Amino acid sequence: MPRHPVPLGFVFRSRAKEEKAAVADKAPLTDSKQTRDPQAPKGRPTPKRSEAQSQRRSVANTSMTRKEAAKRQREERRAALDRQRQALATGDERYLPARDKGPVRKLARDFIDSRFNIAEFFLPMAVVILVLSMVRVPALQTIALLLWLVVIVLIVLDSFVTGYRLKKRLAERFPDDNKRGAVAYALMRSLQMRRLRLPKPQVKRGERP
């Protein structure tokens, strides 16, 4: 009986399939369903929908945390200002402003507060002189002008003497510390009335600082 010839296409097709199968068996196994997230480390799969939602919730919670942090900073700043105001009233060195901190500035304040300064009476005397100058009496206006000149001269002389003595005291007490600006700081304080000075005076008049 005649044999049925085998189709050539079947032979070639089967061999090609066998070769491809062999190559596939030798290739390393990979999970084609798992794709890498562009932002994830290499080799990690793309996060699931539930994980992505949890990440979005965490971002939202982070924004709330920033608001709470800003609120906390405002509260801390307000508390720091309150402590600073109390320190200006009590002289607590821990919470004083930077311009008032340090033993040099404290000695300068105490030196001014322990004595009478002509400059601290400048505002009351200026009011009196202004009232006299407004009176339309030539003699009073002349007196007001003379008083004004006398007050200015006395304040300048007193400030010069005070600055010289304070500079000498600071050099004796703190020879190695930075004393820059301490004399000007003290002279500006002497222009204020005693009850209006900040930080509040911590020594009595006549008391040696």
Side-chain angles (χ1 to χ4, degrees):
M1 295 179 65
R3 297 180 181 180
H4 297 283
V6 179
L8 295 176
F10 174 78
V11 175
F12 291 114
R13 183 166 58 249
S14 61
R15 290 181 179 178
K17 287 183 178 180
E18 291 177 357
E19 291 176 358
K20 291 182 179 179
V23 173
D25 292 338
K26 294 180 180 180
L29 296 177
T30 56
D31 190 359
S32 60
K33 295 182 181 180
Q34 294 182 350
T35 58
R36 188 170 64 86
D37 185 10
Q39 296 181 354
K42 186 176 181 180
R44 294 183 59 182
T46 303
K48 298 180 181 179
R49 180 178 297 178
S50 59
E51 295 178 356
Q53 290 177 354
S54 64
Q55 289 178 0
R56 286 195 292 269
R57 293 195 192 98
S58 64
V59 171
N61 293 331
T62 304
S63 63
M64 292 298 294
T65 303
R66 289 176 182 175
K67 292 180 181 179
E68 293 176 356
K71 182 179 179 181
R72 190 178 299 111
Q73 288 179 357
R74 289 194 298 269
E75 292 176 353
E76 291 177 355
R77 193 180 302 111
R78 191 179 301 110
L81 291 176
D82 291 338
R83 289 194 299 266
Q84 190 177 97
R85 282 193 290 268
Q86 294 178 1
L88 290 173
T90 60
D92 191 349
E93 286 283 337
R94 295 175 298 173
Y95 306 114
L96 286 176
R99 65 182 182 87
D100 299 314
K101 279 187 176 182
V104 175
R105 296 299 174 97
K106 186 178 186 305
L107 178 60
R109 291 195 303 271
D110 293 343
F111 185 85
I112 295 298
D113 297 335
S114 65
R115 62 193 301 274
F116 284 96
N117 302 278
I118 298 177
E120 67 181 288
F121 303 105
F122 172 76
L123 288 178
M125 289 186 294
V127 172
V128 173
I129 293 172
L130 181 61
V131 171
L132 291 176
S133 63
M134 294 177 63
V135 178
R136 295 185 177 180
V137 177
L140 292 178
Q141 291 180 349
T142 303
I143 293 174
L145 180 60
L146 292 175
L147 286 175
W148 183 256
L149 294 176
V150 170
V151 167
I152 295 298
V153 171
L154 289 177
I155 289 176
V156 170
L157 291 176
D158 184 64
S159 299
F160 179 79
V161 175
T162 301
Y164 176 78
R165 291 180 178 177
L166 176 59
K167 188 175 182 179
K168 185 178 180 181
R169 182 72 59 83
L170 290 173
E172 294 174 354
R173 188 76 61 86
F174 306 104
D176 299 327
D177 293 352
N178 184 14
K179 298 175 283 295
R180 183 178 181 181
V183 175
Y185 170 78
L187 294 180
M188 290 298 297
R189 185 177 178 85
S190 68
L191 289 172
Q192 303 171 353
M193 299 180 66
R194 182 182 173 87
R195 65 180 63 184
L196 300 179
R197 293 172 183 170
L198 291 175
K200 293 292 185 181
Q202 302 297 315
V203 296
K204 298 180 181 179
R205 293 188 189 273
E207 182 179 352
R208 181 181 176 85

